[in-house]
Amino acid sequence: MLSIMPITSLLFQGGNLKNSKRHLCGFGFSGLKLVVLVLLISVLSCTKIIPPINDDEPHQYVLNCFLSPDHPIEVFISRTIPVLAKTNYSWEDEWDIKLYENDVLLPFVPEYADSSYLLYYSVQPGSHYRIEALNRNNNHLLTAEDVVPKRVSITELTELYPLYTDRHDTTFGQLTLRFNDDGNVSNYYEIVVGHGYNQRFKTSHTYKITHPVITHDSEYDLYPLTLLFTNELFRGEELVLDIAKDGYGGAIILKNVSYNYFMYKRYLYAHLENQNRKKDFAEISDPVMLYSNVNNGLGIFASHCQDIKWVDGN
């Protein structure tokens, strides 16, 4: 992680600079030169505390893989790239991928295609999975593990349209979502709000929801891409959410996600919020480290189960 001097340290130095004016007369010309030299060294040293990044810096391996019963397993393995790199890097690493289900090696050999390794196998909810990726060139071993959560079904989804029209002449409708939580375990959820036309799902980025279980402290803004929350406030109970969404024809994807998935998305949204897209330097925040559960490298190996429902009941 890059080392950045806190702003409070710079302000403290500024206070010393202001107070030093009271004592310059006693130093004479030599004393003045000494003070100026010390101040220059201090200021310049603050601008060089971040070491230069070049091609000689070591590159860490990165493994990314999301498990879901609804999709084949796809494993991406790459290397980190220096922040100041001007060219894309092409790696010639080859990997042997092994996947274990409940500590039993699965008899499948992943196929390499278009920068990823594909394994056409449907993971099982409630099962434990461990991945091992061995570099054929240098025997570097990456490992990670996760448990696929159980599927949680949407019991009901209804729509009220129109609900209201805002000052931009956008007409909103209201989706009412219901599902039952399993109180025997700690569950982590993600909701994707969208439109449903002819059984085609299109994500909606303009919606509003007010409920104690939903917070926006880790999402980008008031209209986040997805909603992350836990069952801490409604454990073992039915959850009813009213979601105001632009347009007609609603659909919801409800994901029961693993702890690793939840933590990765939570820190990812905080990182995206910290990018200061408006270029307002008055809002610079502390760096946010992304979540990783890959051993001997970086990346994420996580899982989820999902249920999708349209307003027509399908």
Side-chain angles (χ1 to χ4, degrees):
M1 180 178 176
L2 299 179
S3 176
I4 303 176
M5 176 169 286
I7 297 178
T8 53
S9 298
L10 297 178
L11 294 177
F12 181 71
Q13 290 179 359
N16 288 342
L17 175 62
K18 181 178 180 180
N19 293 334
S20 64
K21 294 179 180 179
R22 305 174 183 176
H23 307 286
L24 289 179
C25 295
F27 279 113
F29 184 70
S30 298
L32 177 60
K33 289 194 295 183
L34 178 61
V35 171
V36 173
L37 178 62
V38 171
L39 289 174
L40 285 175
I41 294 176
S42 299
V43 173
L44 291 178
S45 65
C46 294
T47 62
K48 296 183 179 181
I49 58 175
I50 301 177
I53 302 174
N54 51 55
D55 294 343
D56 297 328
E57 293 290 327
H59 307 283
Q60 296 194 58
Y61 292 108
V62 181
L63 183 151
N64 290 320
C65 178
F66 288 94
L67 304 177
S68 171
D70 304 309
H71 304 284
I73 300 171
E74 190 168 12
V75 183
F76 296 88
I77 303 180
S78 60
R79 297 192 195 183
T80 57
I81 300 176
V83 176
L84 301 182
K86 297 182 180 180
T87 58
N88 294 327
Y89 282 73
S90 176
W91 309 114
E92 298 179 355
D93 296 312
E94 295 184 358
W95 298 84
D96 290 324
I97 309 294
K98 294 181 179 180
L99 187 66
Y100 295 82
E101 182 182 68
N102 297 325
D103 295 327
V104 177
L105 177 63
L106 295 176
F108 301 98
V109 178
E111 300 177 2
Y112 183 78
D114 193 23
S115 72
S116 65
Y117 294 85
L118 291 175
L119 197 159
Y120 295 96
Y121 179 75
S122 180
V123 298
Q124 301 300 312
S127 295
H128 174 274
Y129 292 89
R130 184 177 80 254
I131 191 171
E132 295 181 355
L134 180 65
N135 191 309
R136 296 178 183 176
N137 300 329
N138 56 18
N139 293 324
H140 190 97
L141 180 64
L142 301 174
T143 64
E145 57 186 298
D146 197 36
V147 175
V148 180
K150 296 181 179 180
R151 194 184 303 271
V152 176
S153 299
I154 300 173
T155 56
E156 185 181 24
L157 180 66
T158 58
E159 182 178 35
L160 172 63
Y161 187 89
L163 181 64
Y164 69 92
T165 301
D166 67 7
R167 59 188 178 90
H168 301 292
D169 292 329
T170 300
T171 302
F172 281 72
Q174 178 176 283
L175 296 177
T176 299
L177 166 71
R178 295 175 179 268
F179 69 91
N180 294 308
D181 175 70
D182 181 3
N184 296 320
V185 294
S186 296
N187 285 319
Y188 305 88
Y189 294 105
E190 181 180 39
I191 287 180
V192 186
V193 182
H195 301 278
Y197 298 105
N198 298 323
Q199 298 302 303
R200 292 184 178 182
F201 185 90
K202 182 179 180 181
T203 303
S204 173
H205 295 163
T206 304
Y207 55 89
K208 300 178 181 180
I209 179 171
T210 302
H211 196 283
V213 304
I214 304 297
T215 62
H216 297 283
D217 56 351
S218 61
E219 286 84 5
Y220 170 60
D221 54 18
L222 293 179
Y223 307 112
L225 300 180
T226 65
L227 295 169
L228 294 171
F229 58 99
T230 73
N231 68 339
E232 181 179 357
L233 297 180
F234 65 102
R235 191 161 181 164
E237 301 176 358
E238 180 187 47
L239 181 64
V240 180
L241 295 178
D242 291 328
I243 304 172
K245 175 192 62 65
D246 67 314
Y248 174 76
I252 291 288
I253 297 177
L254 172 65
K255 296 182 180 181
N256 190 13
V257 305
S258 68
Y259 173 80
N260 290 314
Y261 184 110
F262 177 83
M263 294 298 291
Y264 172 75
K265 280 292 190 73
R266 178 182 178 185
Y267 282 96
L268 175 63
Y269 286 159
H271 167 75
L272 294 176
E273 183 180 2
N274 201 29
Q275 294 305 295
N276 196 20
R277 293 183 176 91
K278 297 180 179 179
K279 307 300 180 183
D280 184 359
F281 292 100
E283 298 181 0
I284 294 179
S285 304
D286 292 333
V288 176
M289 296 297 293
L290 295 181
Y291 179 83
S292 171
N293 67 331
V294 175
N295 300 316
N296 210 20
L298 300 173
I300 185 67
F301 182 75
S303 57
H304 74 273
C305 282
Q306 70 179 39
D307 185 33
I308 182 171
K309 189 173 288 293
W310 316 81
V311 292
D312 59 8
N314 295 327

